[in-house]
Amino acid sequence: MKFSPLLSDLIQAFTCLPGVGNKSAQRMAFHLLERNREGAIGLSNVLHNAMEHIHHCKQCRTFTEDELCDICRHPERADSGLLCIVESPQDVLAVEQTLSYSGQYFVLMGHLSPIDGIGPEEIGLDQLELRFKNGNINEVILATNPTVEGEATAHYIAQLCNEYNIDASRIAHGVPVGGELEYIDGNTLTHAFSGRRKL
Amino acid sequence: MKFSPLLSDLIQAFTCLPGVGNKSAQRMAFHLLERNREGAIGLSNVLHNAMEHIHHCKQCRTFTEDELCDICRHPERADSGLLCIVESPQDVLAVEQTLSYSGQYFVLMGHLSPIDGIGPEEIGLDQLELRFKNGNINEVILATNPTVEGEATAHYIAQLCNEYNIDASRIAHGVPVGGELEYIDGNTLTHAFSGRRKL
């Protein structure tokens, strides 16, 4: 015995969400059917809308329903000549929440990973090069993740910057503020030592 | 800074799912936008369909898109005169998977809980009484959960059965098959002893 066909379809459909298996999908389906049909209809509509209208910003590749995202449209940011390169839209949000950066962004939507067939074009580096050519960027801050792939991507882009005589810098790796030295891994600590600054 | 309005709406909409907070909702939204737009459109359609067409079975109150669910339409089950009373459609599935029961079901969609304003009518006991009156039920198996509310609900329905001279039985509480005695709580063990059967 199974649930009714439509109910089975609904449960199956929920498993397309990340981290949702059959049991969680059942729980979601029954929760919405029993307690929140309005919310479910709302989710259905927004989901449809979003998938139809959200695409990549023409300039920075983040997700937006407009041609250019809010940040790219900001005139002061465009004049700053600063470009921060991150891997994902969530990273943009993380940097923005610090309130300490006021330049533009370029979102790679991933990182170089030749083994998965992700080369420079897949992460929009041709588009980035066009921006370098246009010549209104003075400095690039490489804020890719401190993983092997992130580092490789940062190095690749740094070389690209070199070709166009643009300053490229990598965000600092070191001990997180509020962290305790004894719990920090050796690799991070090595970075913290080699990246020390004079007081 | 926030995400674009439509993207924020999408993230917000996902939080109507049980166990999904803001961070998981972000993860879901970005996963679907980046990797599975087809699946998202599918989910949107099924969700809309399901919320519009799935309602309670007229006879047993489980979820179905038809007037009567598959089990209620089954002629042999209708003739069995057996009625198993459970709290949720998932419980029906659990019992069905044992392949050891071939009667009909009645799904309370909850349990008596006066403190939350859930009385006999909210769990369909008026409807159940009508079925008792019709007189084609000989035995009722009370398979509500072994919680305080589940027990109270079972007792309430047992009294109802008594009024209509219908046999009512409660599923056995005891040591789970494959369990080890030393890890079983005292309450369950007490039930296992008082419910012992002659060999």
Side-chain angles (χ1 to χ4, degrees):
Chain A
M1 182 260 176
K2 285 261 192 113
F3 295 117
S4 74
L6 188 51
L7 188 49
S8 300
D9 286 352
L10 179 62
I11 293 170
Q12 179 57 36
F14 272 122
T15 59
C16 78
L17 297 173
V20 175
N22 199 42
K23 207 74 193 178
S24 313
Q26 266 187 34
R27 197 167 140 239
M28 289 174 170
F30 285 112
H31 175 87
L32 293 181
L33 283 167
E34 278 170 44
R35 301 210 173 80
N36 197 358
R37 291 195 181 223
E38 258 175 54
I41 292 282
L43 173 59
S44 163
N45 294 339
V46 173
L47 199 54
H48 201 276
N49 246 334
M51 293 305 140
E52 224 158 60
H53 296 117
I54 293 180
H55 48 81
H56 296 286
C57 168
K58 225 174 149 186
Q59 188 167 315
C60 76
R61 305 210 338 142
T62 193
F63 284 124
T64 177
E65 62 265 32
D66 305 311
E67 199 175 350
L68 289 179
C69 70
D70 277 0
I71 294 180
C72 287
R73 276 190 311 221
H74 202 289
E76 278 171 41
R77 283 173 181 265
D79 293 341
S80 70
L82 262 174
L83 188 68
C84 174
I85 298 183
V86 293
E87 289 187 21
S88 74
Q90 293 101 307
D91 296 339
V92 174
L93 189 70
V95 177
E96 283 297 294
Q97 277 170 348
T98 66
L99 300 175
S100 62
Y101 175 75
S102 57
Q104 290 191 303
Y105 292 90
F106 188 82
V107 185
L108 302 171
M109 305 300 295
H111 46 233
L112 285 178
S113 181
I115 214 165
D116 302 315
I118 299 174
E121 290 204 0
E122 279 73 23
I123 57 171
L125 294 192
D126 43 345
Q127 202 176 326
L128 183 65
E129 214 173 330
L130 277 179
R131 264 180 100 171
F132 286 172
K133 267 184 199 154
N134 289 344
N136 46 10
I137 291 166
N138 309 319
E139 191 188 340
V140 162
I141 299 172
L142 296 159
T144 53
N145 289 330
T147 56
V148 176
E149 292 93 346
E151 292 294 345
T153 310
H155 271 103
Y156 188 94
I157 298 172
Q159 286 180 327
L160 211 64
C161 293
N162 214 11
E163 285 176 31
Y164 290 90
N165 281 322
I166 295 169
D167 285 338
S169 57
R170 180 90 176 101
I171 51 167
H173 297 160
V175 181
V177 178
E180 290 181 51
L181 278 202
E182 60 171 320
Y183 298 115
I184 306 292
D185 66 297
N187 209 341
T188 303
L189 215 48
T190 309
H191 271 104
F193 270 77
S194 67
R196 68 188 179 279
R197 299 205 303 191
K198 271 201 175 157
L199 292 177
Chain B
M1 181 260 177
K2 287 261 193 111
F3 296 116
S4 75
L6 188 51
L7 189 48
S8 300
D9 286 351
L10 179 61
I11 292 169
Q12 179 57 36
F14 272 122
T15 59
C16 79
L17 297 173
V20 175
N22 199 41
K23 207 75 193 175
S24 313
Q26 266 186 35
R27 197 167 141 239
M28 288 174 172
F30 285 112
H31 174 88
L32 293 181
L33 283 167
E34 277 169 44
R35 300 211 174 80
N36 198 357
R37 291 195 180 222
E38 257 176 56
I41 293 282
L43 173 59
S44 163
N45 293 340
V46 172
L47 200 52
H48 201 275
N49 246 335
M51 293 304 140
E52 222 157 60
H53 296 117
I54 292 181
H55 48 80
H56 296 287
C57 168
K58 225 175 149 185
Q59 188 168 315
C60 76
R61 307 211 335 144
T62 194
F63 284 123
T64 177
E65 63 265 32
D66 305 312
E67 198 176 350
L68 289 180
C69 69
D70 277 359
I71 294 180
C72 287
R73 275 190 310 221
H74 202 289
E76 278 170 41
R77 283 173 180 266
D79 294 341
S80 70
L82 263 173
L83 188 69
C84 175
I85 297 183
V86 293
E87 289 186 21
S88 74
Q90 293 100 307
D91 296 340
V92 174
L93 190 69
V95 177
E96 282 298 293
Q97 278 170 347
T98 66
L99 300 175
S100 63
Y101 175 75
S102 57
Q104 290 191 305
Y105 291 90
F106 188 82
V107 184
L108 302 170
M109 304 301 292
H111 45 234
L112 284 179
S113 180
I115 213 165
D116 302 314
I118 300 175
E121 290 204 1
E122 279 73 22
I123 58 170
L125 294 193
D126 44 345
Q127 202 176 326
L128 184 65
E129 214 172 330
L130 277 179
R131 264 179 100 170
F132 286 173
K133 267 184 198 153
N134 289 343
N136 45 10
I137 292 166
N138 310 320
E139 192 188 338
V140 163
I141 299 172
L142 295 159
T144 53
N145 289 331
T147 57
V148 176
E149 293 93 346
E151 292 293 347
T153 309
H155 271 104
Y156 188 95
I157 298 173
Q159 285 180 328
L160 210 64
C161 292
N162 214 9
E163 286 177 31
Y164 290 90
N165 280 322
I166 295 169
D167 285 339
S169 57
R170 180 91 175 102
I171 51 167
H173 298 160
V175 181
V177 178
E180 291 182 50
L181 278 202
E182 61 171 321
Y183 298 115
I184 305 292
D185 65 297
N187 209 342
T188 302
L189 216 48
T190 309
H191 272 104
F193 270 77
S194 67
R196 68 189 181 278
R197 299 205 302 190
K198 272 202 175 158
L199 292 176

mmCIF file of all heavy atoms in Angstrom, chain A residues 137-163:
data_model
loop_
_atom_site.group_PDB
_atom_site.id
_atom_site.type_symbol
_atom_site.label_atom_id
_atom_site.label_comp_id
_atom_site.label_asym_id
_atom_site.label_seq_id
_atom_site.Cartn_x
_atom_site.Cartn_y
_atom_site.Cartn_z
ATOM 1 N N ILE A 137 38.477 49.257 -13.443
ATOM 2 C CA ILE A 137 38.753 48.543 -12.189
ATOM 3 C C ILE A 137 40.216 48.726 -11.824
ATOM 4 O O ILE A 137 41.107 48.476 -12.637
ATOM 5 C CB ILE A 137 38.417 47.051 -12.332
ATOM 6 C CG1 ILE A 137 36.901 46.891 -12.460
ATOM 7 C CG2 ILE A 137 38.938 46.250 -11.153
ATOM 8 C CD1 ILE A 137 36.476 45.537 -12.938
ATOM 9 N N ASN A 138 40.440 49.213 -10.582
ATOM 10 C CA ASN A 138 41.818 49.450 -10.150
ATOM 11 C C ASN A 138 42.351 48.337 -9.253
ATOM 12 O O ASN A 138 43.534 48.046 -9.237
ATOM 13 C CB ASN A 138 41.914 50.756 -9.357
ATOM 14 C CG ASN A 138 41.274 51.891 -10.102
ATOM 15 O OD1 ASN A 138 41.441 51.998 -11.317
ATOM 16 N ND2 ASN A 138 40.528 52.732 -9.398
ATOM 17 N N GLU A 139 41.454 47.764 -8.466
ATOM 18 C CA GLU A 139 41.923 46.758 -7.508
ATOM 19 C C GLU A 139 40.931 45.622 -7.400
ATOM 20 O O GLU A 139 39.710 45.835 -7.386
ATOM 21 C CB GLU A 139 42.110 47.401 -6.126
ATOM 22 C CG GLU A 139 42.851 46.471 -5.175
ATOM 23 C CD GLU A 139 42.889 46.979 -3.738
ATOM 24 O OE1 GLU A 139 42.690 48.188 -3.507
ATOM 25 O OE2 GLU A 139 43.096 46.138 -2.850
ATOM 26 N N VAL A 140 41.472 44.423 -7.325
ATOM 27 C CA VAL A 140 40.634 43.233 -7.186
ATOM 28 C C VAL A 140 40.938 42.582 -5.845
ATOM 29 O O VAL A 140 42.104 42.380 -5.498
ATOM 30 C CB VAL A 140 40.907 42.254 -8.349
ATOM 31 C CG1 VAL A 140 40.397 40.864 -8.015
ATOM 32 C CG2 VAL A 140 40.273 42.756 -9.634
ATOM 33 N N ILE A 141 39.883 42.292 -5.074
ATOM 34 C CA ILE A 141 40.065 41.565 -3.815
ATOM 35 C C ILE A 141 39.544 40.151 -4.016
ATOM 36 O O ILE A 141 38.368 39.951 -4.342
ATOM 37 C CB ILE A 141 39.281 42.251 -2.670
ATOM 38 C CG1 ILE A 141 39.794 43.670 -2.463
ATOM 39 C CG2 ILE A 141 39.387 41.440 -1.386
ATOM 40 C CD1 ILE A 141 38.963 44.478 -1.495
ATOM 41 N N LEU A 142 40.425 39.187 -3.843
ATOM 42 C CA LEU A 142 40.039 37.790 -4.073
ATOM 43 C C LEU A 142 39.509 37.182 -2.780
ATOM 44 O O LEU A 142 40.281 36.892 -1.863
ATOM 45 C CB LEU A 142 41.240 37.012 -4.601
ATOM 46 C CG LEU A 142 41.723 37.510 -5.973
ATOM 47 C CD1 LEU A 142 43.160 37.096 -6.220
ATOM 48 C CD2 LEU A 142 40.801 36.997 -7.060
ATOM 49 N N ALA A 143 38.193 37.027 -2.715
ATOM 50 C CA ALA A 143 37.576 36.501 -1.490
ATOM 51 C C ALA A 143 36.942 35.138 -1.737
ATOM 52 O O ALA A 143 35.867 34.839 -1.216
ATOM 53 C CB ALA A 143 36.547 37.504 -0.959
ATOM 54 N N THR A 144 37.613 34.302 -2.530
ATOM 55 C CA THR A 144 37.120 32.928 -2.688
ATOM 56 C C THR A 144 37.386 32.173 -1.389
ATOM 57 O O THR A 144 38.153 32.622 -0.539
ATOM 58 C CB THR A 144 37.855 32.223 -3.845
ATOM 59 O OG1 THR A 144 39.258 32.350 -3.632
ATOM 60 C CG2 THR A 144 37.509 32.865 -5.175
ATOM 61 N N ASN A 145 36.735 31.019 -1.239
ATOM 62 C CA ASN A 145 36.880 30.261 0.003
ATOM 63 C C ASN A 145 38.313 29.761 0.189
ATOM 64 O O ASN A 145 39.001 29.486 -0.785
ATOM 65 C CB ASN A 145 35.938 29.057 0.002
ATOM 66 C CG ASN A 145 34.493 29.477 0.140
ATOM 67 O OD1 ASN A 145 34.198 30.499 0.761
ATOM 68 N ND2 ASN A 145 33.596 28.706 -0.448
ATOM 69 N N PRO A 146 38.750 29.632 1.442
ATOM 70 C CA PRO A 146 40.124 29.138 1.701
ATOM 71 C C PRO A 146 40.216 27.623 1.584
ATOM 72 O O PRO A 146 40.707 26.959 2.490
ATOM 73 C CB PRO A 146 40.390 29.617 3.132
ATOM 74 C CG PRO A 146 39.045 29.713 3.756
ATOM 75 C CD PRO A 146 38.060 30.018 2.669
ATOM 76 N N THR A 147 39.719 27.082 0.469
ATOM 77 C CA THR A 147 39.835 25.648 0.192
ATOM 78 C C THR A 147 40.842 25.476 -0.938
ATOM 79 O O THR A 147 41.277 26.457 -1.533
ATOM 80 C CB THR A 147 38.494 25.085 -0.272
ATOM 81 O OG1 THR A 147 38.070 25.834 -1.417
ATOM 82 C CG2 THR A 147 37.435 25.215 0.799
ATOM 83 N N VAL A 148 41.184 24.239 -1.256
ATOM 84 C CA VAL A 148 42.140 24.003 -2.333
ATOM 85 C C VAL A 148 41.636 24.627 -3.633
ATOM 86 O O VAL A 148 42.346 25.355 -4.313
ATOM 87 C CB VAL A 148 42.388 22.485 -2.521
ATOM 88 C CG1 VAL A 148 43.312 22.242 -3.703
ATOM 89 C CG2 VAL A 148 42.981 21.888 -1.262
ATOM 90 N N GLU A 149 40.366 24.363 -3.978
ATOM 91 C CA GLU A 149 39.808 24.890 -5.223
ATOM 92 C C GLU A 149 39.714 26.413 -5.177
ATOM 93 O O GLU A 149 39.978 27.085 -6.174
ATOM 94 C CB GLU A 149 38.411 24.313 -5.485
ATOM 95 C CG GLU A 149 38.393 22.832 -5.794
ATOM 96 C CD GLU A 149 38.170 22.007 -4.539
ATOM 97 O OE1 GLU A 149 38.294 22.581 -3.425
ATOM 98 O OE2 GLU A 149 37.878 20.810 -4.654
ATOM 99 N N GLY A 150 39.329 26.932 -4.021
ATOM 100 C CA GLY A 150 39.209 28.383 -3.876
ATOM 101 C C GLY A 150 40.552 29.071 -4.071
ATOM 102 O O GLY A 150 40.646 30.109 -4.739
ATOM 103 N N GLU A 151 41.595 28.469 -3.493
ATOM 104 C CA GLU A 151 42.944 29.037 -3.627
ATOM 105 C C GLU A 151 43.400 28.991 -5.082
ATOM 106 O O GLU A 151 43.965 29.957 -5.610
ATOM 107 C CB GLU A 151 43.952 28.254 -2.765
ATOM 108 C CG GLU A 151 43.773 28.373 -1.261
ATOM 109 C CD GLU A 151 44.047 29.781 -0.742
ATOM 110 O OE1 GLU A 151 44.645 30.611 -1.468
ATOM 111 O OE2 GLU A 151 43.630 30.066 0.402
ATOM 112 N N ALA A 152 43.151 27.853 -5.735
ATOM 113 C CA ALA A 152 43.557 27.704 -7.131
ATOM 114 C C ALA A 152 42.852 28.754 -7.988
ATOM 115 O O ALA A 152 43.471 29.393 -8.853
ATOM 116 C CB ALA A 152 43.219 26.298 -7.629
ATOM 117 N N THR A 153 41.554 28.935 -7.727
ATOM 118 C CA THR A 153 40.784 29.924 -8.475
ATOM 119 C C THR A 153 41.360 31.321 -8.247
ATOM 120 O O THR A 153 41.509 32.113 -9.193
ATOM 121 C CB THR A 153 39.308 29.866 -8.042
ATOM 122 O OG1 THR A 153 38.863 28.515 -8.088
ATOM 123 C CG2 THR A 153 38.432 30.721 -8.937
ATOM 124 N N ALA A 154 41.688 31.619 -6.978
ATOM 125 C CA ALA A 154 42.241 32.932 -6.649
ATOM 126 C C ALA A 154 43.561 33.171 -7.401
ATOM 127 O O ALA A 154 43.792 34.247 -7.965
ATOM 128 C CB ALA A 154 42.457 33.046 -5.146
ATOM 129 N N HIS A 155 44.409 32.135 -7.422
ATOM 130 C CA HIS A 155 45.692 32.274 -8.124
ATOM 131 C C HIS A 155 45.493 32.516 -9.613
ATOM 132 O O HIS A 155 46.163 33.340 -10.233
ATOM 133 C CB HIS A 155 46.558 31.019 -7.915
ATOM 134 C CG HIS A 155 47.405 31.130 -6.696
ATOM 135 N ND1 HIS A 155 47.113 30.484 -5.527
ATOM 136 C CD2 HIS A 155 48.525 31.864 -6.456
ATOM 137 C CE1 HIS A 155 48.000 30.800 -4.608
ATOM 138 N NE2 HIS A 155 48.884 31.635 -5.152
ATOM 139 N N TYR A 156 44.553 31.775 -10.182
ATOM 140 C CA TYR A 156 44.285 31.913 -11.606
ATOM 141 C C TYR A 156 43.853 33.338 -11.935
ATOM 142 O O TYR A 156 44.339 33.967 -12.883
ATOM 143 C CB TYR A 156 43.193 30.920 -12.017
ATOM 144 C CG TYR A 156 42.966 30.833 -13.506
ATOM 145 C CD1 TYR A 156 43.602 29.867 -14.271
ATOM 146 C CD2 TYR A 156 42.128 31.734 -14.154
ATOM 147 C CE1 TYR A 156 43.407 29.783 -15.635
ATOM 148 C CE2 TYR A 156 41.921 31.667 -15.515
ATOM 149 C CZ TYR A 156 42.561 30.689 -16.259
ATOM 150 O OH TYR A 156 42.370 30.615 -17.592
ATOM 151 N N ILE A 157 42.940 33.871 -11.102
ATOM 152 C CA ILE A 157 42.430 35.220 -11.351
ATOM 153 C C ILE A 157 43.522 36.268 -11.097
ATOM 154 O O ILE A 157 43.602 37.285 -11.787
ATOM 155 C CB ILE A 157 41.180 35.491 -10.501
ATOM 156 C CG1 ILE A 157 40.074 34.502 -10.889
ATOM 157 C CG2 ILE A 157 40.673 36.921 -10.695
ATOM 158 C CD1 ILE A 157 38.858 34.545 -10.000
ATOM 159 N N ALA A 158 44.389 35.992 -10.115
ATOM 160 C CA ALA A 158 45.480 36.925 -9.819
ATOM 161 C C ALA A 158 46.391 37.079 -11.044
ATOM 162 O O ALA A 158 46.838 38.187 -11.378
ATOM 163 C CB ALA A 158 46.278 36.429 -8.618
ATOM 164 N N GLN A 159 46.656 35.940 -11.716
ATOM 165 C CA GLN A 159 47.484 36.002 -12.928
ATOM 166 C C GLN A 159 46.811 36.829 -14.010
ATOM 167 O O GLN A 159 47.443 37.614 -14.726
ATOM 168 C CB GLN A 159 47.737 34.583 -13.457
ATOM 169 C CG GLN A 159 48.757 33.823 -12.599
ATOM 170 C CD GLN A 159 48.999 32.433 -13.132
ATOM 171 O OE1 GLN A 159 48.085 31.812 -13.673
ATOM 172 N NE2 GLN A 159 50.207 31.927 -12.945
ATOM 173 N N LEU A 160 45.486 36.648 -14.124
ATOM 174 C CA LEU A 160 44.691 37.405 -15.088
ATOM 175 C C LEU A 160 44.813 38.910 -14.798
ATOM 176 O O LEU A 160 44.994 39.730 -15.712
ATOM 177 C CB LEU A 160 43.228 36.963 -14.960
ATOM 178 C CG LEU A 160 42.357 37.004 -16.199
ATOM 179 C CD1 LEU A 160 42.870 36.028 -17.249
ATOM 180 C CD2 LEU A 160 40.922 36.636 -15.821
ATOM 181 N N CYS A 161 44.730 39.266 -13.515
ATOM 182 C CA CYS A 161 44.837 40.669 -13.100
ATOM 183 C C CYS A 161 46.205 41.230 -13.507
ATOM 184 O O CYS A 161 46.330 42.372 -13.960
ATOM 185 C CB CYS A 161 44.673 40.802 -11.591
ATOM 186 S SG CYS A 161 43.024 40.405 -11.021
ATOM 187 N N ASN A 162 47.208 40.377 -13.317
ATOM 188 C CA ASN A 162 48.576 40.754 -13.640
ATOM 189 C C ASN A 162 48.693 41.187 -15.101
ATOM 190 O O ASN A 162 49.332 42.197 -15.413
ATOM 191 C CB ASN A 162 49.488 39.549 -13.360
ATOM 192 C CG ASN A 162 50.848 40.003 -12.868
ATOM 193 O OD1 ASN A 162 51.024 41.197 -12.548
ATOM 194 N ND2 ASN A 162 51.804 39.099 -12.798
ATOM 195 N N GLU A 163 48.053 40.416 -15.964
ATOM 196 C CA GLU A 163 48.097 40.721 -17.401
ATOM 197 C C GLU A 163 47.546 42.110 -17.687
ATOM 198 O O GLU A 163 47.985 42.784 -18.615
ATOM 199 C CB GLU A 163 47.273 39.698 -18.192
ATOM 200 C CG GLU A 163 47.944 38.339 -18.326
ATOM 201 C CD GLU A 163 47.032 37.349 -19.040
ATOM 202 O OE1 GLU A 163 46.229 37.793 -19.897
ATOM 203 O OE2 GLU A 163 47.102 36.145 -18.717
#
